[in-house]
Amino acid sequence: MLKLTRVKFESSGERYSMLTGSDGLPLWYPTLFATSQLRNAAKAPNTIEAHLNAIKLLLEWTNSHEIDLKQTFSAMKFLTVEQIESLCSYLKQDRNQRMKRKKSNVIPIRMANKERIRASLTQSKTVAKQTYYIRISYITDYLEWFAKRVLSERKIIISSEVSHLISLMIRSLKVSYAEETVEINLVN
């Protein structure tokens, strides 16, 4: 189970956030990203937390789909269109909706509540467009950094072809938001 942990250094009063695993230890790559890319760029503590919350969603999704991003990227493979669609669908769900899906599918039904329960099963609650956009933006920042980091650690030269594949993955994620916005505008 992943958890966002906040630490306050007594000597400086600085707030520092990190993702921790079930063992309570910080996750290496998200912490490195938060420190090297966000903290060193003087991002506000709340902005760093928002990035880490988005990364947490990404990692929850990869865990539930049994995807090892490090291994995948090391093999110079990147997220497929189907995986990107699944991730985007996951990112649109609000927290309560995600928690419901983790729980059992068995729901006690009383006669009076049958229609309400049926309606709740078919309607999924989603987050606001802006929240979804922020999640996509922060995750694309992390995925691009992570892919390049993993490849450089493996001493793999990031050729123009590999760089293009990473860019395609990132653009596919960003396009998913743009398509969502266009769809909404066409309906209105």
Side-chain angles (χ1 to χ4, degrees):
M1 184 174 133
L2 302 174
K3 183 179 175 187
L4 182 68
T5 305
R6 295 176 197 96
V7 177
K8 186 174 182 179
F9 296 107
E10 288 185 26
S11 59
S12 65
E14 179 184 359
R15 294 183 305 167
Y16 190 79
S17 299
M18 62 186 105
L19 279 179
T20 56
S22 56
D23 56 4
L25 295 174
L27 300 178
W28 172 252
Y29 289 105
T31 303
L32 182 61
F33 175 76
T35 303
S36 67
Q37 303 302 302
L38 305 174
R39 184 169 173 253
N40 287 348
K43 299 289 184 186
N46 288 342
T47 302
I48 295 172
E49 269 190 33
H51 271 83
L52 290 171
N53 274 319
I55 294 167
K56 180 182 173 200
L57 291 174
L58 169 68
L59 297 178
E60 286 173 354
W61 175 81
T62 58
N63 289 340
S64 70
H65 287 77
E66 298 177 355
I67 297 170
D68 183 340
L69 284 177
K70 185 176 181 180
Q71 184 179 356
T72 302
F73 291 172
S74 293
M76 290 190 285
K77 295 179 182 173
F78 303 98
L79 296 179
T80 64
V81 172
E82 293 81 14
Q83 290 170 330
I84 289 171
E85 288 174 357
S86 173
L87 174 59
C88 290
S89 176
Y90 185 79
L91 295 174
K92 288 177 190 176
Q93 297 173 6
D94 76 345
R95 185 174 188 272
N96 294 332
Q97 191 72 20
R98 285 192 315 276
M99 297 309 277
K100 281 182 187 176
R101 294 213 173 164
K102 287 182 183 178
K103 293 181 182 176
S104 172
N105 289 336
V106 178
I107 301 172
I109 298 177
R110 286 186 235 136
M111 291 304 278
N113 294 332
K114 192 183 329 184
E115 289 304 314
R116 187 173 49 111
I117 291 171
R118 186 177 296 144
S120 72
L121 290 173
T122 58
Q123 298 172 348
S124 61
K125 296 178 183 174
T126 59
V127 296
K129 289 185 295 182
Q130 188 172 5
T131 302
Y132 174 62
Y133 174 74
I134 289 169
R135 288 176 177 177
I136 291 283
S137 297
Y138 291 169
I139 286 172
T140 55
D141 291 345
Y142 178 73
L143 282 174
E144 184 172 19
W145 172 85
F146 183 67
K148 290 176 180 177
R149 178 77 190 192
V150 166
L151 293 173
S152 67
E153 284 178 358
R154 302 272 185 202
K155 308 268 190 267
I156 297 172
I157 296 171
I158 302 174
S159 65
S160 60
E161 182 183 334
V162 172
S163 184
H164 178 70
L165 291 172
I166 294 169
S167 293
L168 280 175
M169 175 182 66
I170 299 305
R171 273 189 274 149
S172 295
L173 273 163
K174 289 181 178 179
V175 164
S176 69
Y177 175 76
E179 287 174 351
E180 175 87 8
T181 305
V182 169
E183 247 178 60
I184 290 168
N185 289 337
L186 289 175
V187 171
N188 292 336

